[in-house]
């Protein structure tokens, strides 16, 4: 061990603790002249004093022996990745989907009444707009994230896959149950609701532009039309993929930097 290096280290750590040479000497049971000699590199303390020096300066024995501070070890908390998807994020995606599809409800109604023609345009707008929002939101949420919660990724993918598969399997049954409830809510018969051109039958039984007519179509087009449903799927699919790509890019930048 170099006495000069040890002396400079001891002096630096003593001052960091706001201790005078006399105060440190009292803690170690030596004289302040001994501390002065150590710090000037005239001599080294007895090996038995190293433990006392480490305790007095709140450093490790290894740091005393090496006469330098060692980098702190990363804790498990620092290494732990943040949750991949939170309930708040899921709720935000759902609200964005509902807001976007609600805005698209007006052109849907106008098209259905034959006032405008845009078949396919409104069907595509829902997934495109909700997907674009999901991408923007994912980039915003992962600005400083550099680690992936793979357990959360697997859970999220599994839950979404099961829910989307169940919806596809039960789609006909869900629509049938909705039509069954129509007779209770709006006084529309099952026969009319289940006919081939069922929307014309609905329009024939419920006077158009009445609150009841608007409410029926709002609920139907938002929750049982293909376009809005694809928009919902797009939001919940594009969002995690974008997050993964952004996190990988952040980690790569950190490594290269």
């Amino acid at each position: 061990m170099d006495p000069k290096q040890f002396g400079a280290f001891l002096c630096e750590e003593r001052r960091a603790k706001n201790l005078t040479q006399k105060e440190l000497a009292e803690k170690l049971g030596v004289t302040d002249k001994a501390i002065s000699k150590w710090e000037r590199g005239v001599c080294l303390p007895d090996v038995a004093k190293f433990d006392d020096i480490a305790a007095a300066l709140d450093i490790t024995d290894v740091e005393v022996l090496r006469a330098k501070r060692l980098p702190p070890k990363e804790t498990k908390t620092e290494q732990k990745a943040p949750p991949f998807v939170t309930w708040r994020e899921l709720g935000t995606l759902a609200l964005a989907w509902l807001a976007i599809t609600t805005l698209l409800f007006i052109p849907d109604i106008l098209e259905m009444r034959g006032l405008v023609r845009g078949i396919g345009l409104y069907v595509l707008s829902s997934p495109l707009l909700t997907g674009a929002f999901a991408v923007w939101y994912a980039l915003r949420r992962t600005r400083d994230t550099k680690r992936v919660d793979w357990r959360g990724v697997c859970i999220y993918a599994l839950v979404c896959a099961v829910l989307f598969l169940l919806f596809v399997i039960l789609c006909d049954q869900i629509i049938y149950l909705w039509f069954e409830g129509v007779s209770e809510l709006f006084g529309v018969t099952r026969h009319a609701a289940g006919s081939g051109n069922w929307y014309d039958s609905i329009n024939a039984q419920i006077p158009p532009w009445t609150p009841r007519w608007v409410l029926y179509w709002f609920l139907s087009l938002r929750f049982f039309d293909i376009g809005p449903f694809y928009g919902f799927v797009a939001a919940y699919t594009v969002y995690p993929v974008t997050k993964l790509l952004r996190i990988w890019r952040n980690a790569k930048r950190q490594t290269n930097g």
Side-chain angles (χ1 to χ4, degrees), residues 113 203-204 206-210 213-214:
R113 295 301 301 170
N203 289 333
I206 303 179
W209 310 114
T210 61
W213 183 86
V214 173

Side-chain angles (χ1 to χ4, degrees), residues 170-185:
L170 300 175
C171 187
D172 291 339
Q173 186 65 23
I174 292 173
I175 294 177
Y176 175 77
L177 292 175
W178 164 248
F179 287 154
E180 284 288 305
V182 167
S183 60
E184 299 293 334
L185 291 172

Side-chain angles (χ1 to χ4, degrees), residues 25 71 99 132 134 158 167 174 187 193 214 223 226 236-237 243:
L158 180 62
F167 185 88
I174 292 173
V214 173
F223 298 102
I226 292 297
Y236 278 76
T237 303
K243 286 192 75 171

Side-chain angles (χ1 to χ4, degrees), residues 70-76 78-79:
L70 300 178
K73 295 181 180 180
E74 291 185 353
T75 62
K76 291 184 179 180
E78 293 173 338
Q79 293 179 346

